[in-house]
Amino acid sequence: MAENEWLSKDFYKVLGVSKDASDDDIKKAYRKLARKYHPDVNKTKEAEEKFKDISEAYDVLSKKEDRQKYDAIRQFGMGGARFAGGSGSGGFDASGFSDIFGSMFGAGSGMGGNGSRIRFSTSGGGNPNLNDIFSMFGGAAGQGAGFGGQSPYGNAGGYSYEEAPRPENGEDRNSKISLTLRQAVKGATVSLSVDGKKFKAHVPAGVKDGQKIKLAGKGKPGINGGHAGDLYLHVTVKPDKTFSMRGSDIVMDLPVTIGEAVAGGKVEAKDIDGNPVTFKVPAGSSSGAEIKLSGLGVKRGNQPGDLIGRVQIMVPAKPGMLLKHAAKEFDEKAGDYLPR
């Protein structure tokens, strides 16, 4: 069907749907009517004509671009675009086309919007005819080119359009931050500055050394309405002499005496916040054995990590004669328990 016939066809009414019907609604309506009026089912002449109308309507409304053109042309025919004449040369009021182009290309494409703007300029007098208007929507009606360059409309001088520059997204930025291990474990709020503007950003708990954190929209600004780039924080975590992080667990060395390692016992220590904690050392614990305190690790999500005490058996730096004698006596009584 030629596009200049669309003004006389109400495809939405043919299918029995509203103008804001979804694609699924249109498809369902077509299938229901097609089953009712298909020539193989309904042999009447009226059904045959009805089936043709249904097929024409669905063929246009089921295709996104055709539906947009149809809506725009129908809107033009119902007064969506206006022509204003006057004494003398006459003029063309293109303000009405904001509605037409808004329906075809999205709200941002209308005149005065934030997206691409199409501005019409005229030279000469008179008004454009209807066929030339249809040619603007890609149809065959009218003379001359559609959207490409300048083209005359009827005998009334030239109409042209000018497209605004396309939006360009801004570039990303990179920055470095240094955290203590406690800040990495607990999370931290850091102060940053970009182009002289200061702002604060939250570093999540459990961040690792060498990890990158993305701050959306904090990069270089976009051009012509494009989105701003992102800022990537490259994290460095300073090592700690007592604690380290292993996944969601916090690992610490747990110094114990020989007696505590052999006989077992309760060993007092402090967690990463300086709060006292108690580890229960099992009898017969060797250096490197790990003792777990559940839920005292990195608090990230619904499953916090654990605090792990890694046994380190300590001996006096300068043992006296009695202590050396007791140590030899212990070895004799312990027997050959240590494979060499």
Side-chain angles (χ1 to χ4, degrees):
M1 177 189 294
E3 294 170 2
N4 56 3
E5 298 178 21
W6 286 355
L7 281 173
S8 61
K9 298 279 188 177
D10 189 342
F11 292 146
Y12 294 103
K13 185 176 181 181
V14 170
L15 294 181
V17 297
S18 63
K19 293 179 181 178
D20 57 354
S22 66
D23 293 342
D24 286 341
D25 292 338
I26 291 172
K27 184 181 296 183
K28 290 177 182 177
Y30 167 72
R31 288 179 176 175
K32 180 179 179 180
L33 294 172
R35 284 195 296 268
K36 181 178 180 180
Y37 294 104
H38 195 281
D40 292 342
V41 178
N42 195 326
K43 304 294 185 181
T44 65
K45 184 66 175 178
E46 292 78 5
E48 181 180 350
E49 294 299 322
K50 184 71 173 178
F51 184 76
K52 289 181 180 179
D53 292 340
I54 295 168
S55 299
E56 288 175 347
Y58 181 70
D59 187 56
V60 173
L61 298 185
S62 63
K63 299 173 184 175
K64 183 178 181 180
E65 292 184 1
D66 286 351
R67 183 177 178 181
Q68 290 176 332
K69 288 182 182 180
Y70 172 75
D71 289 342
I73 289 174
R74 289 278 296 179
Q75 185 175 350
F76 166 80
M78 295 170 65
R82 302 183 300 277
F83 297 93
S87 60
S89 62
F92 172 50
D93 179 6
S95 62
F97 276 98
S98 62
D99 295 332
I100 293 180
F101 285 100
S103 64
M104 287 185 63
F105 304 109
S109 300
M111 298 177 190
N114 294 326
S116 298
R117 294 177 176 81
I118 299 179
R119 299 189 295 274
F120 289 90
S121 60
T122 66
S123 61
N127 292 328
N129 63 43
L130 184 61
N131 284 340
D132 291 324
I133 296 297
F134 284 127
S135 72
M136 294 167 61
F137 296 99
Q143 304 293 327
F147 279 118
Q150 295 183 353
S151 62
Y153 290 94
N155 297 321
Y159 289 85
S160 64
Y161 79 94
E162 179 182 345
E163 185 175 353
R166 293 184 176 181
E168 296 182 18
N169 294 338
E171 296 180 1
D172 295 335
R173 299 179 189 266
N174 291 277
S175 184
K176 297 180 180 180
I177 59 171
S178 180
L179 304 174
T180 64
L181 183 68
R182 186 180 181 280
Q183 288 176 318
V185 167
K186 309 293 287 188
T189 298
V190 295
S191 297
L192 302 170
S193 177
V194 174
D195 292 337
K197 297 181 179 179
K198 296 182 179 181
F199 63 96
K200 295 183 182 296
H202 178 68
V203 178
V207 67
K208 304 292 192 301
D209 183 65
Q211 186 174 338
K212 290 193 297 184
I213 300 174
K214 175 183 173 181
L215 300 179
K218 296 299 183 180
K220 294 184 179 180
I223 301 174
N224 301 322
H227 296 295
D230 301 324
L231 173 61
Y232 289 90
L233 297 180
H234 297 254
V235 178
T236 299
V237 179
K238 300 175 184 178
D240 189 272
K241 63 179 182 180
T242 303
F243 301 94
S244 62
M245 193 160 38
R246 187 175 65 195
S248 294
D249 296 333
I250 303 173
V251 182
M252 61 175 289
D253 287 338
L254 183 63
V256 300
T257 65
I258 294 177
E260 290 169 335
V262 173
K266 295 181 178 180
V267 177
E268 300 291 331
K270 290 185 179 181
D271 64 12
I272 199 167
D273 291 322
N275 298 320
V277 292
T278 301
F279 289 91
K280 294 181 179 179
V281 179
S285 295
S286 298
S287 290
E290 295 186 349
I291 305 167
K292 178 174 67 175
L293 294 180
S294 299
L296 296 184
V298 179
K299 290 178 173 56
R300 180 175 52 190
N302 296 326
Q303 294 182 335
D306 303 322
L307 176 61
I308 306 273
R310 190 165 45 204
V311 172
Q312 298 291 326
I313 300 175
M314 309 299 292
V315 300
K318 297 179 178 180
M321 292 300 299
L322 291 176
L323 190 56
K324 291 180 181 179
H325 179 74
K328 290 182 178 180
E329 186 175 351
F330 170 80
D331 285 345
E332 291 174 356
K333 291 182 178 180
D336 189 11
Y337 69 95
L338 182 63
R340 300 293 187 179

